[in-house]
Amino acid sequence: MATNLDTLVTVFGGSGFLGRSVVRALCKRDYRVRVAVRRPELAGFLQPLGRVGQVHTVQANLRYPASVEAALRDSHVAINLVGILTESGGQTFDAVQAKGAETVAKAAAAAGAEMVHVSAIGADEESPSRYARAKAAGEKAVLAAVPSATIFRPSVLFGPEDQFTNRFAALGRLSPVLPLIGGDTKMQPAYVGDVATAIADAVDGKAKKGATYELGGPEVLTMREIIETILAITGRKRMLIPLSFGLARFQANFLQFAPGALKLTPDQVTLLERDNVVSDAAKAAGLTLEGLGIAPDSLEAIAPQYLWRFRAAGQFQRMIV
């Protein structure tokens, strides 16, 4: 009798924030997982997510088609999670999120593999954001090569190793005053574990082929509400100073070269000018987490489990209410 162990799933970008959750979800369902990354020697931490021999890492770079084709050899399903938040050298939005996605899709088609592609809410060919335009171009290229591909567009993701809630929690620990950019911009934060479950469901065949899903959490929150929630969880009282988009974009011209949590690019400011929520059309069509039978977890329910480390007294400090 056929089992999931007969199915080889190749995950591009499997060592990233979303990737490790996806690998874990696939391993729990007994799939064989091949993780294609640029630096396999740095992805050893993925091995304990499965049983002995279940997870195998290989070298692949989306800018080199031959390496992608080799990574997909004998694969039944290809999952593309590769994406970047900022550009650096040859790692541009177009190279990674548009041309890179096309490379994976063409290789998947040649290998006869099904495909799951992760994009982002806000992907739009007409967007003023280069990030959003590249995401839209990637979706178009994937569907052109693999019309049956399932596309997931998550809202901003949160979880233990994210670059979102941890970033603001770190800033709240460092400064008594926090700049607030796009305070009224609406977002629908999605828990990384829920999105990973949706991707694993697609591999199981539970998602509609050729469809585009929009994945958001149970709540629509403004940027101000999100930061206030993070500050309450970490027990920090901080003053929020609203910044206009114009001033924020001017500062980003310099902060794009800053390290760590201080980094801010002009394109990120542009993204903050638009709401990042699940559309009414996706809800009506059932192309959401709920449509897949997944009850999404809220920011307030999950974040305290890992943001406690930013509290002055650690996990023993009570939240501000």
Side-chain angles (χ1 to χ4, degrees):
M1 184 174 67
T3 69
N4 286 345
L5 285 173
D6 297 322
T7 302
L8 175 60
V9 182
T10 296
V11 184
F12 291 87
S15 63
F17 169 54
L18 173 58
R20 59 195 71 184
S21 290
V22 170
V23 171
R24 182 183 295 109
L26 293 172
C27 286
K28 287 181 177 179
R29 302 186 189 201
D30 292 332
Y31 288 105
R32 288 186 293 129
V33 183
R34 178 186 291 159
V35 183
V37 292
R38 287 192 298 160
R39 299 285 300 277
E41 70 276 13
L42 300 180
F45 61 88
L46 296 172
Q47 301 295 330
L49 299 181
R51 296 192 297 275
V52 175
Q54 189 177 7
V55 179
H56 178 59
T57 56
V58 297
Q59 197 282 331
N61 187 323
L62 268 56
R63 290 189 289 140
Y64 298 93
S67 69
V68 174
E69 293 167 5
L72 276 170
R73 190 175 295 123
D74 300 323
S75 297
H76 300 92
V77 183
I79 300 177
N80 181 36
L81 307 175
V82 181
I84 55 175
L85 295 174
T86 59
E87 298 175 304
S88 177
Q91 296 293 100
T92 65
F93 293 138
D94 284 336
V96 174
Q97 295 172 172
K99 294 178 182 176
E102 181 179 29
T103 297
V104 174
K106 286 183 175 180
E114 296 290 340
M115 184 165 179
V116 178
H117 175 68
V118 175
S119 181
I121 286 181
D124 182 357
E125 291 181 315
E126 304 300 323
S127 174
S129 162
R130 291 183 295 107
Y131 170 91
R133 291 200 302 271
K135 283 289 189 182
E139 290 182 7
K140 185 176 181 180
V142 167
L143 289 175
V146 187
S148 63
T150 300
I151 293 177
F152 288 117
R153 291 179 171 181
S155 183
V156 60
L157 296 179
F158 69 89
E161 296 147 332
D162 68 35
Q163 297 182 43
F164 179 57
T165 59
N166 284 286
R167 176 181 186 178
F168 288 111
L171 289 172
R173 183 168 59 182
L174 294 173
S175 173
V177 177
L178 295 180
L180 179 62
I181 305 169
D184 294 326
T185 300
K186 295 181 177 64
M187 296 188 176
Q188 201 166 342
Y191 173 49
V192 66
D194 292 332
V195 174
T197 297
I199 293 170
D201 281 350
V203 176
D204 282 347
K206 297 177 182 178
K208 297 178 181 178
K209 296 185 183 300
T212 298
Y213 287 77
E214 296 185 9
L215 309 182
E219 298 176 309
V220 173
L221 303 170
T222 65
M223 194 65 182
R224 175 183 287 275
E225 289 171 335
I226 290 172
I227 295 177
E228 288 175 344
T229 298
I230 294 170
L231 291 174
I233 290 171
T234 56
R236 306 281 181 175
K237 293 183 178 181
R238 297 292 183 258
M239 181 180 295
L240 301 181
I241 305 297
L243 291 184
S244 67
F245 287 115
L247 179 57
R249 191 171 288 106
F250 173 77
Q251 292 184 344
N253 287 323
F254 304 97
L255 291 176
Q256 62 183 315
F257 304 109
L262 296 176
K263 192 178 188 69
L264 179 69
T265 70
D267 200 72
Q268 288 173 334
V269 175
T270 299
L271 283 171
L272 285 170
E273 294 187 62
R274 292 189 177 185
D275 292 341
N276 194 274
V277 298
V278 174
S279 67
D280 290 336
K283 293 177 185 176
L287 300 176
T288 61
L289 284 171
E290 292 85 352
L292 288 168
I294 300 170
D297 288 302
S298 68
L299 177 67
E300 199 168 15
I302 298 295
Q305 299 176 31
Y306 62 90
L307 289 184
W308 58 263
R309 66 192 182 92
F310 292 98
R311 299 173 187 164
Q315 60 183 314
F316 301 105
Q317 179 176 322
R318 297 181 63 185
M319 293 170 52
I320 294 176
V321 295

